[in-house]
Amino acid sequence: MRRIAGIVLAVLLIGGVVAAVVAGRDNEETGTATKTVRMVIGSEKAAFFADPDVVKALAAKGYTVKAETSGSWAMEGLDLKGFDLAFPSSQAPAAELAAKYEVTGTLPRPFYSPLVVVAHRGAAEVLAGNRLATLDGKSRGTLDMAAYLDAAGDDRTWQQLRGAAVYGELTGTLYISSTDPQTSNSGALYLAAASYVANGGKVVASDAEVEKTAPLLRKLVSVQGAQQSSTDAAFRDFVSGAGNPLVLVYESQVAALLDEQANPGDLVVLYPDTTVNSDHTVVPLTERGRAVGELLGSDPGLRKLAVRHGFRPQGDLAEFAAATESRTAHLKQQLTGVRQAPVPTSAVLHELARRARG
């Protein structure tokens, strides 16, 4: 009888193990397991993909994302074998990557962000007092790009501006800090906007127009010395009080900071009156990559999380306006008075960046 009982117990135990394995398989098939998606992204999106709520939302759709950061233009030089998607910060580097990897079809563009200039209040007030900017209040305004480029072309210094003498940190040549245009999207788009203004409100398209605008672009870059490779590092330096009084960043970075800090000190956000929106564009390298890229733009929960991180979802201004209602002291909900400059072709933009870097 003991032997029979032992055999029965063994059969029951084996049956239990088999049942557990089957249950585990059933769980995987019903979505508790996730598919890993490897991506390379611009650094300005690192906080978004690291957000536990974003991780949870993607897992609910069946995906675990592993993200590595890179300058948007530097992605072209990476070996992306084994990656599911690349996610640079605008359409131009995305188009080059799509051509390189023979990606066909529409490239998903889930959200975008305009470029802005962050300043401390003293610097912003001096700019306004010298007709280089106008202020809507204490913490928001508009930068006059034509006037600023004229001042930069004349090598104007802070000391030559009325009212600057009371601020000890405002010394030396007046300039906006930007990232390296040969590796970083924001630096390249800065040149796109500046060249458009310098070319009389026309996109630079010919060798003659490159020659015409290159000396000014060279001044804008050479005065900075060493440049950061990412806007994330440049913005962190500014927030910590280090570096230049004027820094070019993405609006999304400012919006995310305002979401974290109720009191950002004397931060002022200046919207250039001629700028370029950064259309964050997905280059799907696999079907998994395409699925995640499309989810970012279509899933309501992920769209809300993108707005939390300061991005403007494509196709619905109301989402951004509703989420940033408490931040209008710093942010423009509607980009009224901001002109969107067309971006030169990738070949022209590469040449402008090369000439600007000397």
Side-chain angles (χ1 to χ4, degrees):
M1 288 296 295
R2 281 198 295 269
R3 182 187 299 177
I4 293 171
I7 293 170
V8 170
L9 179 60
V11 169
L12 289 173
L13 286 173
I14 292 170
V17 170
V18 171
V21 171
V22 170
R25 286 175 182 166
D26 286 345
N27 284 341
E28 288 183 5
E29 289 171 2
T30 55
T32 57
T34 59
K35 293 170 278 192
T36 298
V37 175
R38 290 187 67 202
M39 61 169 68
V40 58
I41 62 173
S43 62
E44 70 291 328
K45 294 185 283 289
F48 172 75
F49 284 107
D51 185 333
D53 289 335
V54 174
V55 172
K56 189 184 300 183
L58 286 168
K61 297 295 182 179
Y63 298 101
T64 297
V65 165
K66 292 188 176 180
E68 299 177 23
T69 60
S70 167
S72 292
W73 285 102
M75 289 181 191
E76 189 183 354
L78 300 178
D79 180 3
L80 297 183
K81 183 179 180 181
F83 283 84
D84 295 287
L85 66 92
F87 200 177
S89 304
S90 72
Q91 293 183 65
E96 294 222 346
L97 286 167
K100 179 178 179 179
Y101 290 96
E102 300 180 344
V103 177
T104 58
T106 303
L107 302 181
R109 292 185 295 125
F111 42 71
Y112 67 99
S113 182
L115 288 166
V116 298
V117 175
V118 289
H120 296 294
R121 187 162 296 126
E125 289 176 350
V126 170
L127 292 179
N130 289 268
R131 297 184 178 180
L132 297 173
T134 56
L135 297 180
D136 305 332
K138 290 196 306 181
S139 303
R140 191 185 74 187
T142 303
L143 178 72
D144 187 323
M145 276 291 281
Y148 162 70
L149 292 176
D150 284 344
D154 292 338
D155 300 314
R156 190 92 65 89
T157 65
W158 284 103
Q159 292 93 321
Q160 292 173 312
L161 300 182
R162 293 185 305 277
V166 299
Y167 302 102
E169 70 275 16
L170 300 181
T171 60
T173 305
L174 171 70
Y175 69 90
I176 295 170
S177 286
S178 60
T179 53
D180 184 343
Q182 291 187 300
T183 60
S184 172
N185 178 67
S186 61
L189 294 186
Y190 177 44
L191 298 188
S195 65
Y196 179 82
V197 175
N199 196 38
K202 295 192 307 177
V203 65
V204 173
S206 66
D207 291 343
E209 289 170 334
V210 170
E211 288 292 335
K212 174 184 174 182
T213 57
L216 173 61
L217 303 187
R218 173 66 180 148
K219 277 193 175 185
L220 297 179
V221 170
S222 63
V223 70
Q224 300 183 46
Q227 291 177 288
Q228 298 274 20
S229 60
S230 76
T231 52
D232 183 56
F235 187 54
R236 279 190 279 106
D237 283 351
F238 175 84
V239 171
S240 70
N244 192 50
L246 305 174
V247 182
L248 186 82
V249 299
Y250 295 110
E251 179 195 54
S252 58
Q253 293 171 293
V254 179
L257 175 71
L258 295 173
D259 190 56
E260 296 168 5
Q261 297 184 14
N263 180 15
D266 66 349
L267 172 72
V268 178
V269 183
L270 299 174
Y271 287 77
D273 61 7
T274 301
T275 189
V276 176
N277 285 343
S278 183
D279 283 310
H280 295 268
T281 305
V282 174
V283 182
L285 303 173
T286 67
E287 286 305 311
R288 286 185 183 185
R290 181 170 289 280
V292 168
E294 291 175 350
L295 265 178
L296 293 171
S298 63
D299 181 75
L302 286 166
R303 285 173 69 92
K304 282 185 179 179
L305 290 168
V307 172
R308 179 201 289 177
H309 284 267
F311 299 107
R312 293 176 181 250
Q314 296 284 0
D316 192 345
L317 279 174
E319 285 181 86
F320 184 82
T324 58
E325 192 171 356
S326 64
R327 295 176 259 175
T328 54
H330 292 86
L331 304 178
K332 287 179 181 281
Q333 292 185 310
Q334 304 280 343
L335 296 176
T336 307
V338 176
R339 185 178 189 182
Q340 174 73 12
V343 179
T345 65
S346 293
V348 170
L349 198 52
H350 275 304
E351 181 60 15
L352 290 173
R354 188 188 69 80
R355 298 284 291 273
R357 289 288 292 165

